Amino acid sequence: MRYAVAGFLLSTILATAQDAMIRIDATAPVGPMRPIWAYFGYDEPNYTYMKNGRKLIGELADLSPGTVHIRAHNLLTTGDGAPALKWGSTNAYTEDAAGKPVYDWTIVDRIFDTYLGVHAKPFVELGFMPEAMSVKPQPYRHTWPNGGIDTGWAYPPKDYSKWAELIRQLALHAKQKYGQAEAESWYWEVWNEPDIMYWHGTAEEYNRLYETAVRAVKSVLPRARTGGPATTGPASTKAAAFLRQFLEFCDRTNVPLDFVSYHAKGSPRVVDGHVRMNLAKEMQDVERGIEVMSAFPRFQKLPIILSEADPEGCAACSVRTYPQNGYRNGPLYAAYTAAALGRIFQIADQRQANIEGILTWAFEFEDQPWFDGFRTLATNGVDKPVLNVFRMAGLMRGDRVRVTVASTGRGAIDALAAKSGDRVTVMLWNYDDDDLPAPDGKATLTVANLSPGRHLLRHYRIDASHSNSYSLWKSMGSPQSPSAEQYSQLEAAGQLQLLESPRWIDSGHIEIILPRHAVSFLEIE
C-alpha cells in the first residue's frame, strides 16, 4: 500500500485504480477554493452571438458563483463576420483610399455585449493583425483544413504607431461604452502563441508589439490588467526560451506586466487500438512555466493565467480525421479535466505559485454534425459530459481542505475537497490515461471533524449513464435530426444528475463504487 497526499505522486494520476482509502480533514485548510477554472475560450468569435453560442455563454455564466472570463481569437481580424472552423472576424480596422484608419466596433460590441449581458467578462486577446496593417497581407483568409492557417493575419504591423492607435481606440471605445471601472476589470492579453506560426515576426518584434499595445491600453485604462505572452507549453525548449526572453525584456524595460500567460496541453495518441491520454505533459507545461518565472524575483508572485489548458491543441480537429481525439464526447474528457484541476491546485501549493486562471479552450460549433468529435462543451445546444465538471467545481466554495489518499494497486482514484461553514464538498474521480475497460474502483471516504449532528448527503455523478447526453444519443441510434422529444431528453441528460436520492448520514464514513473515468461530487451539510 502506498500513501500520498492526493495527486502529489504523478504515478497516482497515471495509474490503474483498484481501491482507495480517502481521508478528508474538514478542519485542515490548505488554501482558498478560488474559481481558477472559470475561464473559457475559442477560435471563432462570431459563434458567440449565434443561437447555441448565446445559450452556452449563459450556461457558463450560470455555473459559477463568481465571474466567468471568456477569451476569443480574431477580435481584430479583417472580414465580414462569417464564421468558419478556426476563423472569425470583426472588421474592426480598415483604411480608406488615402490610408486613413476606419474603426468599426459593431461586431466587437456584439461579442462583448453577449458576455456582459449574462455577467461574464471579456478576456480581451489583442489580435490578430488587420489586413490593411499587415506587412504581408496576402493571402489573408486561410482555407483550413485545406492548408495552413498562418496567413496575413499572423504578421507584424507595417506601422507600429497605427497598431498602438488601434489598441488605444479599442480601449477608449470600451471605456466610453461600458465605463472605465468595467473595462479596467477585464484582462487584456497581447496576441496568442507568438513562439510558433501564430506570429511571423521575431521575438524582438513581438516584444515591441506587446509594449506598444499595453502602453496604449494603460493610456486610457491605467488600472487595466495587461499581460502576455500566451506562449505554447513551456515544456518545449523553444516556448520556454521565448517566455524567458519576454520576461527579461519586461524586467529590463519596466514595461507593464500585470499577469503572465502561457499554455499547457496534453498529447493523446492511439496505442494498440485505444486512446492514451497524456496528462503528465500538461502538468509539465504548468510546472516548467513556473520554473521560468522563478528566475525573475519581480515576477515570481504575479498572477499566472494558463490561457489555454487542455488535453491537446486543436479544438476544431474532428475525431473523424484525428482518432486520438476520441476522448472528447464521453466521460473520459470529464475525468481528465477533474484530475487536471486537482493537480494544478496541488502544483500551485507546492510551488507557491499564484495560478489565477485555467482557461479551457472549448466552446461549440454551429451547423456541425452531432457529437462529431470536436473539443466542445456542447453540441447543437446539448451539453456534453465535460461541462458538468465545471458545474461541480462551481458548487465548491470556502477553503480547500486536506485530502489524503491510500491506494492499493496503482491507484487512480483521487479527490479535491472544500469547506464553507458547515458544508463540505468533495469532487472525486477515477482517472486513467488509457481509455480501456476496467473493473470498478471502490473509494472508502472518511470526512473527519465534521460538525456534530446528522448531515444531508447529495451525490452527483458523471459516468456512462449519468450526466451524459452522449450515451443517450447513441442509445437513440445516433440521430442527426432528433425529434423534439428526443432533443428535450438529450438536453436533460446533459445536465448534472444525482446518482441517488439525497439521504441523511450519521457519520462522515461513506463507501462509493466509482467506475473507470467516472466523476462523483458529494455535498455534505
Side-chain angles (χ1 to χ4, degrees):
M1 182 175 291
R2 179 176 59 241
Y3 293 84
V5 176
F8 273 36
L9 294 179
L10 196 56
S11 59
T12 307
I13 291 177
L14 303 178
T16 301
Q18 302 295 327
D19 293 341
M21 304 286 291
I22 301 174
R23 187 178 188 277
I24 295 169
D25 189 341
T27 58
V30 296
M33 184 64 210
R34 300 167 63 190
I36 62 175
W37 52 268
Y39 296 72
F40 302 91
Y42 43 99
D43 291 76
E44 303 85 1
N46 306 103
Y47 287 142
T48 303
Y49 45 79
M50 294 183 174
K51 177 184 176 183
N52 291 326
R54 286 183 177 275
K55 179 180 180 181
L56 182 54
I57 293 292
E59 289 185 297
L60 294 180
D62 288 345
L63 57 79
S64 172
T67 301
V68 167
H69 303 267
I70 305 178
R71 174 184 187 254
H73 288 343
N74 293 300
L75 288 179
L76 301 175
T77 302
T78 303
D80 60 6
L85 297 180
K86 299 183 77 67
W87 176 260
S89 59
T90 66
N91 227 38
Y93 178 94
T94 54
E95 293 180 1
D96 64 17
K100 182 180 178 181
V102 177
Y103 304 103
D104 184 348
W105 308 115
T106 304
I107 295 178
V108 172
D109 286 349
R110 291 184 72 185
I111 296 165
F112 289 177
D113 287 349
T114 302
Y115 300 158
L116 294 164
V118 294
H119 307 292
K121 287 186 184 292
F123 188 112
V124 184
E125 181 196 301
L126 296 172
F128 293 121
M129 195 57 61
E131 184 175 10
M133 201 180 290
S134 173
V135 297
K136 190 179 181 298
Q138 298 301 323
Y140 189 73
R141 177 164 176 170
H142 63 69
T143 57
W144 190 88
N146 302 311
I149 67 169
D150 49 334
T151 48
W153 57 265
Y155 285 80
K158 291 183 291 188
D159 185 332
Y160 280 84
S161 65
K162 286 187 174 181
W163 165 256
E165 184 59 17
L166 167 60
I167 303 307
R168 193 188 76 84
Q169 288 291 334
L170 174 59
L172 183 62
H173 176 74
K175 176 181 177 179
Q176 292 170 343
K177 181 174 174 61
Y178 303 109
Q180 181 168 339
E182 176 61 41
E184 287 183 332
S185 72
W186 307 347
Y187 296 98
W188 297 74
E189 181 187 49
V190 181
W191 214 256
N192 175 73
E193 297 183 346
D195 56 307
I196 60 170
M197 52 78 188
Y198 277 86
W199 177 247
H200 280 280
T202 64
E204 292 75 17
E205 286 172 317
Y206 171 77
N207 294 344
R208 185 179 179 188
L209 185 89
Y210 176 85
E211 179 175 9
T212 54
V214 299
R215 293 200 187 282
V217 172
K218 295 281 192 180
S219 71
V220 177
L221 303 168
R223 290 180 293 277
R225 293 172 290 183
T226 56
T231 65
T232 57
S236 156
T237 301
K238 179 181 177 183
F242 194 102
L243 177 59
R244 185 180 300 106
Q245 70 80 31
F246 170 76
L247 295 174
E248 288 171 348
F249 166 75
C250 293
D251 195 28
R252 183 179 71 252
T253 61
N254 288 318
V255 172
L257 182 63
D258 301 310
F259 65 90
V260 175
S261 61
Y262 58 89
H263 298 168
K265 304 281 186 176
S267 181
R269 57 195 175 100
V270 176
V271 177
D272 297 330
H274 72 276
V275 174
R276 175 173 292 167
M277 308 296 285
N278 192 348
L279 180 59
K281 165 61 171 61
E282 184 177 341
M283 299 305 106
Q284 288 164 2
D285 282 335
V286 176
E287 294 204 77
R288 183 63 181 132
I290 295 170
E291 289 172 4
V292 172
M293 289 179 62
S294 69
F296 300 89
R298 285 181 56 198
F299 303 143
Q300 286 179 2
K301 298 303 180 183
L302 278 185
I304 297 169
I305 308 289
L306 304 172
S307 57
E308 293 181 26
D310 306 286
E312 36 66 41
C314 182
C317 294
S318 169
V319 70
R320 286 181 290 107
T321 308
Y322 301 88
Q324 68 270 27
N325 294 338
Y327 71 90
R328 291 171 163 183
N329 288 328
L332 173 52
Y333 189 8
Y336 179 105
T337 301
L341 175 63
R343 179 59 180 151
I344 289 172
F345 266 123
Q346 293 156 9
I347 289 172
D349 291 342
Q350 289 174 310
R351 299 278 187 169
Q352 296 184 317
N354 183 13
I355 296 181
E356 188 163 300
I358 307 170
L359 193 146
T360 295
W361 196 254
F363 190 57
E364 65 94 27
F365 295 97
E366 301 281 342
D367 302 319
Q368 296 293 330
W370 282 78
F371 294 102
D372 203 35
F374 294 110
R375 194 174 69 237
T376 51
L377 303 173
T379 176
N380 290 280
V382 169
D383 298 342
K384 293 166 69 171
V386 66
L387 189 55
N388 287 305
V389 169
F390 299 107
R391 290 192 170 103
M392 291 175 172
L395 295 171
M396 302 184 79
R397 303 189 185 97
D399 290 318
R400 287 178 292 115
V401 293
R402 183 178 299 126
V403 178
T404 307
V405 178
S407 60
T408 62
R410 295 170 56 197
I413 295 177
D414 211 336
L416 175 69
K419 183 174 185 290
S420 177
D422 288 334
R423 178 175 175 270
V424 175
T425 51
V426 184
M427 188 188 296
L428 187 71
W429 54 88
N430 181 352
Y431 172 74
D432 192 277
D433 260 358
D434 286 296
D435 191 13
L436 289 170
D440 293 346
K442 179 182 176 182
T444 301
L445 182 68
T446 300
V447 184
N449 299 316
L450 285 173
S451 57
R454 303 196 83 195
H455 294 79
L456 182 64
L457 171 66
R458 296 182 181 89
H459 186 174
Y460 299 87
R461 168 67 65 80
I462 305 167
D463 61 19
S465 55
H466 296 86
S467 313
N468 191 332
S469 58
Y470 180 54
S471 60
L472 177 61
W473 179 74
K474 290 191 294 182
S475 74
M476 291 175 172
S478 306
Q480 286 300 325
S481 299
S483 67
E485 181 180 359
Q486 287 175 321
Y487 190 90
S488 179
Q489 292 170 350
L490 289 166
E491 278 190 305
Q495 300 299 304
L496 183 60
Q497 298 173 345
L498 286 164
L499 178 66
E500 59 184 4
S501 297
R503 59 188 173 93
W504 292 94
I505 57 175
D506 293 311
S507 72
H509 184 80
I510 305 163
E511 292 192 350
I512 300 169
I513 300 300
L514 203 62
R516 172 68 61 87
H517 298 144
V519 185
S520 274
F521 183 79
L522 308 180
E523 281 186 307
I524 305 167
E525 60 182 345

